[in-house]
Amino acid sequence: MPTHSTRDIIVEKADALFYQGGFEATSFADIAAAVGISRGNFYHHFKTKDDILDAVIARRMERTRAMLDAWQDASEGPRERIVCFIRILITNRTSIMAYGCPVGTLCSELAKLDHAAQGRAADIFGLFRDWLTAQFRALGAADRAGALALHLLAWSQGVAVLAAALRDEAFIHAEVAGIEHWLASHPDLSQPT
Amino acid sequence: MPTHSTRDIIVEKADALFYQGGFEATSFADIAAAVGISRGNFYHHFKTKDDILDAVIARRMERTRAMLDAWQDASEGPRERIVCFIRILITNRTSIMAYGCPVGTLCSELAKLDHAAQGRAADIFGLFRDWLTAQFRALGAADRAGALALHLLAWSQGVAVLAAALRDEAFIHAEVAGIEHWLASHPDLSQPT
DNA sequence: GACGCGATAGGACAACTGTCCTAATCTCAC
DNA sequence: GTGAGATTAGGACAGTTGTCCTATCGCGTC
């Protein structure tokens, strides 16, 4: 029972390198060095670099789904669940200040490259949007739930972009406090049951 | 009296290509083809690719400053000036949906490349932040002006990231309406003089 | 022990990268 | 018209890229 196959390790390392260095700037050689295998050996696991990207996106999809499911089970109410989402800005603040949001920066890069996988990358945003929409709906937002979900998603993305550009940790904390205040005092939302 | 020197044209074309395709993915050959000069001729105008990037950032700085000055002169009050800033999301919505925000995406890419120019790129955000801070201070925000400026900047960045990822024009219009409503009804701000 | 097959290493390959050199051309003052 | 200096084209250069081939290795099955 292997804990991790070579293929899994490649995807794991590629995921981190794509995040920290970007997809285009990360070469086969970089990934091979990180995994500890020879460059030519890649062809046995992935035919093209785009195949690795697809696997990385699929991995991120899975992990995002798992994270959302965990929040769904661990928190009592929708408001607490949304706070879980907001708090990833705090939890991951160090890497966010260094590399931005993994989803947002990947989508931005793939858009510029006009890459075929940009739709699949954007689907990760779709997971968050749908999950947040369900939470806002549970809070009584009704037909405004989708717009509120997108708004919160955009807010967190903006915080990530600016925190990375300005390397400002205090700004992250201030904005997270602002988001939580907005969530607690939003007039459109009834109190949780 | 040459309207544009060859150097200026290089910087202008490089600016557009860096925006649309990213800095790393844009090669000397791409810029040369866009300008219509030979590849080897670059060395006479710019010693390295980083020099072109520096010139592009300087150009964006200049143009940003000029844009902010124009808003400063054209609008009567600080509230109207802030609306000018918000409206660039509408004006540039087509390119934003295709390539994101020029400043945000460049900063994100340079951060991943660990590029020496990332601080200079972030200084463009500094121009917006300082200008917006002055406007909020004129609105009576006092010591909260800086935080409000950063918040508005982050908000617009988030809208740009998500609009590009989801290719959603209606989302841009909805969020811009939300920003304008926030600006008009923010409790911390007194009415304009 | 012999076989088969997946996994691996090493390298070939053309294309492209940023950089740099050199020779030719252009422009304009004298 | 001549010479000087700026501008240009073309290509050399070593290094890297993604891709692909082939020979070898490791290991479980007969």
Side-chain angles (χ1 to χ4, degrees):
Chain A
M1 193 178 69
T3 53
H4 292 298
S5 69
T6 301
R7 195 196 137 97
D8 290 341
I9 298 176
I10 291 175
V11 177
E12 178 193 333
K13 297 291 187 182
D15 191 343
L17 288 172
F18 288 173
Y19 174 41
Q20 295 161 16
F23 168 69
E24 177 87 358
T26 299
S27 70
F28 270 58
D30 295 331
I31 306 173
V35 177
I37 62 173
S38 75
R39 222 170 70 261
N41 192 15
F42 264 106
Y43 192 68
H44 197 260
H45 298 282
F46 297 97
K47 269 190 283 192
T48 68
K49 195 183 177 186
D50 289 350
D51 288 344
I52 300 186
L53 178 61
D54 286 340
V56 166
I57 292 175
R59 174 189 150 96
R60 293 190 184 182
M61 274 277 205
E62 279 176 36
R63 294 168 66 89
T64 300
R65 244 188 290 260
M67 184 173 66
L68 295 176
D69 287 348
W71 291 344
Q72 194 74 23
D73 298 338
S75 298
E76 314 90 71
R79 223 179 209 98
E80 289 76 17
R81 297 196 186 106
I82 297 174
V83 169
C84 285
F85 167 78
I86 299 166
R87 288 288 168 84
I88 46 178
L89 283 170
I90 303 288
T91 308
N92 300 336
R93 63 188 184 280
T94 304
S95 56
I96 287 175
M97 283 193 295
Y99 313 112
C101 166
V103 188
T105 53
L106 181 64
C107 285
S108 295
E109 183 179 1
L110 295 185
K112 284 183 196 293
L113 297 176
D114 203 20
H115 197 284
Q118 61 183 304
R120 254 160 294 161
D123 286 342
I124 306 179
F125 273 139
L127 288 179
F128 283 107
R129 183 196 55 207
D130 295 344
W131 186 86
L132 286 171
T133 299
Q135 307 310 319
F136 279 112
R137 188 168 290 129
L139 278 178
D143 58 338
R144 290 203 12 100
L148 288 170
L150 278 184
H151 173 67
L152 180 51
L153 211 44
W155 196 344
S156 63
Q157 282 299 306
V159 172
V161 170
L162 231 60
L166 306 178
R167 307 274 155 133
D168 190 341
E169 182 168 348
F171 166 72
I172 298 183
H173 285 96
E175 284 292 308
V176 166
I179 298 175
E180 293 185 351
H181 179 262
W182 167 80
L183 182 65
S185 66
H186 199 285
D188 285 7
L189 303 179
S190 63
Q191 287 305 308
T193 52
Chain B
M1 193 177 71
T3 54
H4 292 298
S5 68
T6 302
R7 195 196 136 98
D8 289 341
I9 299 176
I10 292 176
V11 176
E12 178 193 332
K13 298 292 187 183
D15 191 343
L17 288 172
F18 288 172
Y19 174 41
Q20 294 162 15
F23 168 69
E24 178 87 357
T26 300
S27 71
F28 270 56
D30 295 330
I31 305 173
V35 177
I37 62 174
S38 74
R39 221 171 68 260
N41 192 13
F42 264 106
Y43 193 67
H44 196 260
H45 299 282
F46 299 95
K47 270 190 286 192
T48 68
K49 195 182 177 186
D50 290 350
D51 288 344
I52 300 185
L53 177 61
D54 285 340
V56 167
I57 292 175
R59 174 190 150 97
R60 293 191 184 181
M61 274 275 205
E62 278 176 37
R63 293 169 67 90
T64 300
R65 243 188 292 261
M67 184 173 66
L68 295 176
D69 287 349
W71 291 344
Q72 194 74 23
D73 298 338
S75 299
E76 316 89 70
R79 220 180 276 272
E80 288 76 17
R81 297 196 186 106
I82 297 174
V83 170
C84 285
F85 168 78
I86 299 166
R87 288 286 169 84
I88 47 178
L89 283 170
I90 303 289
T91 308
N92 300 335
R93 63 188 184 280
T94 305
S95 56
I96 286 176
M97 282 192 296
Y99 313 112
C101 167
V103 188
T105 53
L106 181 63
C107 285
S108 294
E109 182 178 3
L110 296 185
K112 284 184 196 293
L113 297 176
D114 202 19
H115 196 284
Q118 62 182 304
R120 255 160 294 161
D123 286 343
I124 306 178
F125 272 141
L127 288 180
F128 283 107
R129 183 197 54 206
D130 294 345
W131 185 86
L132 286 171
T133 299
Q135 307 309 321
F136 280 113
R137 188 168 290 128
L139 278 178
D143 57 337
R144 286 198 20 96
L148 288 169
L150 278 183
H151 173 67
L152 179 52
L153 211 44
W155 197 342
S156 63
Q157 282 299 306
V159 172
V161 170
L162 230 60
L166 306 178
R167 308 273 156 132
D168 188 342
E169 182 168 349
F171 166 71
I172 297 183
H173 286 95
E175 284 292 307
V176 166
I179 298 176
E180 293 185 351
H181 179 263
W182 168 81
L183 182 64
S185 65
H186 200 283
D188 285 8
L189 304 179
S190 62
Q191 288 303 309
T193 52

